[in-house]
Amino acid sequence: MGGIMKGIFEKIIDREVHAEIVYEDDRVIAFEDINPVAPKHLLVVPKQRIRSLQEIETEDLPLLGHCLWVLRQLAEQSGVAQEGYRVVNNVGEYGGQTVEHLHFHLIGGRAMTWPPG
Ligand code: 5GP
């Protein structure tokens, strides 16, 4: 996987960069965010490199559904499901996306506010 310009998440997938991995299967990996914004902050990342939600095609829809299923399971496992949590996907500059590899934040363990900053 990859090519010469490997992104940070590809390096985590390939075990070249350490992360606290909490879940992995053939399509998805999940690990703790290095800079958590809440007591629980996980990232769910498709292994296939899709740069953002804006790059998805209809053929990727089963993968996206799988990501949501994994998020739901991890919310349960990490104990935030009952009180509630937030799933975030940042897209592009105005969305605040800093890593160009599709990922979903699972954030919980405290009450969130709305609107977001
Ligand atoms: P974005 O801003 O693109 O929505 O989210 C990228 C997230 O990746 C950020 O929350 C950031 O803290 C996290 N992140 C960036 N580099 C690393 C890393 O090397 N390891 C881990 N575990 N998380 C990272």
Side-chain angles (χ1 to χ4, degrees):
M1 164 182 295
I4 47 169
M5 290 295 285
K6 245 189 209 184
I8 185 70
F9 290 173
E10 284 165 298
K11 290 181 181 171
I12 289 172
I13 291 163
D14 292 346
R15 305 300 199 275
E16 291 168 15
V17 167
H18 175 78
E20 291 300 324
I21 295 167
V22 297
Y23 176 82
E24 183 172 23
D25 63 29
D26 57 327
R27 287 181 287 171
V28 163
I29 192 166
F31 49 87
E32 291 178 5
D33 196 294
I34 204 169
N35 186 24
V37 299
K40 182 58 63 178
H41 188 168
L42 302 177
L43 298 173
V44 173
V45 182
K47 289 184 172 178
Q48 179 188 338
R49 186 167 183 186
I50 299 170
R51 286 179 185 273
S52 84
L53 197 67
Q54 211 49 39
E55 304 281 308
I56 62 161
E57 304 291 347
T58 53
E59 69 203 35
D60 302 318
L61 295 182
L63 175 63
L64 291 179
H66 184 59
C67 287
L68 292 178
W69 178 250
V70 169
L71 283 157
R72 176 238 189 277
Q73 302 296 332
L74 290 176
E76 185 97 38
Q77 255 177 49
S78 57
V80 301
Q82 194 166 352
E83 288 179 306
Y85 58 92
R86 187 167 290 177
V87 174
V88 173
N89 174 247
N90 296 322
V91 181
E93 187 187 347
Y94 274 21
Q97 183 178 3
T98 59
V99 175
E100 280 195 355
H101 184 138
L102 180 65
H103 55 280
F104 297 93
H105 299 255
L106 169 58
I107 304 167
R110 65 168 170 83
M112 305 291 152
T113 59
W114 193 265

